Amino acid sequence: HKLLRHYAQSCYSMGLYYASCDSTKECEDLYHQAIKSSEKCEDWHTCYLAYTQLSIVTNWSNPQYATQQAKRALDTYYKINDDVNNEVLILGHIAGTFLPADEPDSALAYYMKGLELAKKNHLTKSENVMYMGIASTYCYMEEYEKALDYAKMGITTAEGKVLIPSQQNLAKCYYNCDSLDKAQSVLK
């Protein structure tokens, strides 16, 4: 049981490594092994992480499959409920799988659910991810004023590694709303 758990964790770690090297096939195979092994030994944490990563690497090549894997990650997460921040991020990953499938309303529903959960649990970084995801989705839908509103809310939660991408997102929203001076100011 313990050996199987370590094997699943090793497959997951090697999957991350291959993903960083753009070796998609090897990466997917390792995530499948991690899922299979972690389910056998009921290591639900490793299992939902592997489902999440599998969803991420397949998102552009097979959006429907990616959505299924992200939803399986959430179902698996609910077996353990070990870190609400991970729940929020999984909701964001599910939302992100709907744009390549051209389903922005579904994306918004999951982002909103993630945002509500992040606010409730005072998860500032995750709030930022949800706000910026919502802003990007509204941009995709060409509803630029709504996108700008969410980007403005999101920038208030931006710090550290997410600050620059959040500023870029905000500038893009200003640009789409024809506020070129404000876009330029944010980019500077």
Side-chain angles (χ1 to χ4, degrees):
H1 192 77
K2 189 175 182 180
L3 183 62
L4 192 58
R5 181 173 173 261
H6 287 300
Y7 175 72
Q9 291 170 345
S10 296
C11 288
Y12 174 74
S13 295
M14 286 303 297
L16 292 174
Y17 169 75
Y18 279 116
S20 72
C21 299
D22 291 329
S23 299
T24 307
K25 174 71 172 116
E26 292 85 356
C27 167
E28 287 182 40
D29 291 345
L30 284 162
Y31 290 144
H32 282 290
Q33 281 297 317
I35 291 165
K36 183 179 174 183
S37 300
S38 61
E39 284 177 340
K40 283 183 183 176
C41 66
E42 297 181 357
D43 176 5
W44 303 123
H45 182 80
T46 301
C47 191
Y48 76 70
L49 291 176
Y51 272 125
T52 301
Q53 292 302 316
L54 183 59
S55 172
I56 291 168
V57 299
T58 59
N59 195 27
W60 290 101
S61 63
N62 191 342
Q64 290 80 14
Y65 179 76
T67 302
Q68 290 173 346
Q69 301 316 301
K71 287 180 177 180
R72 285 183 180 154
L74 189 61
D75 291 342
T76 305
Y77 170 82
Y78 289 139
K79 292 180 180 183
I80 190 171
N81 289 317
D82 63 346
D83 183 353
V84 70
N85 193 54
N86 285 344
E87 180 181 3
V88 173
L89 295 176
I90 292 169
L91 288 167
H93 288 303
I94 294 171
T97 66
F98 284 108
L99 287 186
D102 195 31
E103 297 179 43
D105 292 332
S106 296
L108 283 175
Y110 278 95
Y111 277 130
M112 293 296 189
K113 187 175 179 180
L115 178 60
E116 181 182 320
L117 193 57
K119 283 181 171 182
K120 178 181 170 186
N121 290 283
H122 311 290
L123 303 169
T124 307
K125 288 180 183 178
S126 295
E127 263 186 72
N128 174 267
V129 172
M130 296 302 113
Y131 275 127
M132 292 306 167
I134 293 167
S136 294
T137 304
Y138 277 124
C139 277
Y140 177 86
M141 297 168 71
E142 298 181 359
E143 293 185 33
Y144 301 123
E145 291 295 328
K146 286 183 181 178
L148 180 58
D149 290 342
Y150 279 96
K152 285 178 181 177
M153 288 185 271
I155 203 70
T156 65
T157 62
E159 57 184 38
K161 291 181 182 180
V162 299
L163 179 59
I164 292 173
S166 296
Q167 289 170 322
Q168 290 170 329
N169 199 349
L170 178 61
K172 177 181 150 190
C173 291
Y174 276 125
Y175 175 80
N176 287 331
C177 289
D178 293 327
S179 298
L180 300 182
D181 290 339
K182 290 183 180 182
Q184 182 181 18
S185 174
V186 170
L187 288 174
K188 284 183 180 179

